């Protein structure tokens, strides 16, 4: 009798964010059952790159559009219904938000201060990715602020 190899299902997802009044806000969405807050993610579509697939999920699940940063931010794993999923995460600076998108009637969405968003996320591995993003982003925000002040 052969032992069944456990298959890992690859997914990609985004951290949709925007800058408001010098602060980073992250868009979280609920799971379809509206029980917990998550980020847009899903299976990588055949023929699409992980970032392109993640952008598609961002549109379908959250109604947001932007240019996904092709540099992978990190990965995390989770289990669901006996299967193991590995999610490649990317950044999505949001350029457009629509109220009419495929899963609008299945999920809630909410813009949150980055620290609030981290508190609402349940997966520790995803929290780590968010915290890492926040550290680099807040550093680059203060750096660009310093640069703009120097050029005045």
């Amino acid at each position: 009798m052969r032992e069944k190899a456990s298959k890992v299902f690859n997914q990609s997802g985004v951290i949709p964010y925007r800058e408001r009044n010098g602060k980073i806000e992250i868009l979280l969405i609920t799971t379809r059952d509206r029980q917990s807050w998550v980020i847009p993610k899903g299976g990588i579509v055949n023929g699409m790159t992980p970032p392109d697939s993640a952008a598609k999920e961002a549109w379908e699940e959250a109604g947001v559009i932007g240019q996904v940063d092709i540099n992978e931010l990190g990965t995390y794993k989770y289990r669901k219904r006996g299967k193991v999923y590995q999610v490649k995460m990317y950044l999505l600076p949001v350029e457009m938000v629509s109220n009419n998108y495929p899963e609008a009637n299945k999920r809630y969405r909410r813009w949150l201060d980055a620290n609030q968003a981290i508190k609402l996320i349940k997966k520790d591995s995803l929290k780590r990715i968010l915290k890492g993003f926040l550290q680099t982003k807040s550093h680059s925000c203060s750096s660009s602020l310093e640069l703009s002040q120097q050029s005045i």
Side-chain angles (χ1 to χ4, degrees), residues 21-32:
N21 303 320
K23 291 189 177 178
I24 301 294
E25 291 182 335
I26 294 174
L27 182 69
L28 293 184
I29 59 171
T30 58
T31 52
R32 282 196 188 118

Side-chain angles (χ1 to χ4, degrees), residues 71-130:
N71 298 303
E72 188 180 304
L73 198 57
T75 62
Y76 74 97
K77 286 185 178 179
Y78 71 97
R79 284 184 184 276
K80 184 177 175 182
R81 296 187 194 107
K83 294 179 181 172
V84 177
Y85 297 87
Q86 179 168 299
V87 186
K88 293 181 178 192
M89 292 299 302
Y90 300 90
L91 289 175
L92 174 69
V94 174
E95 296 165 16
M96 191 194 98
V97 180
S98 175
N99 290 325
N100 185 14
Y101 55 99
E103 296 186 17
N105 62 348
K106 294 181 181 138
R107 301 174 186 271
Y108 298 128
R109 65 181 179 187
R110 195 160 138 201
W111 285 104
L112 295 159
D113 169 84
N115 289 312
Q116 289 176 299
I118 289 167
K119 285 178 188 164
L120 286 179
I121 294 283
K122 290 182 177 159
K123 293 264 171 258
D124 286 338
S125 46
L126 180 53
K127 281 183 189 228
R128 273 195 298 280
I129 293 170
L130 279 167

Side-chain angles (χ1 to χ4, degrees), residues 52-64:
D52 287 345
S53 195
K56 178 180 164 297
E57 292 297 330
W59 165 250
E60 290 174 357
E61 295 181 355
V64 292

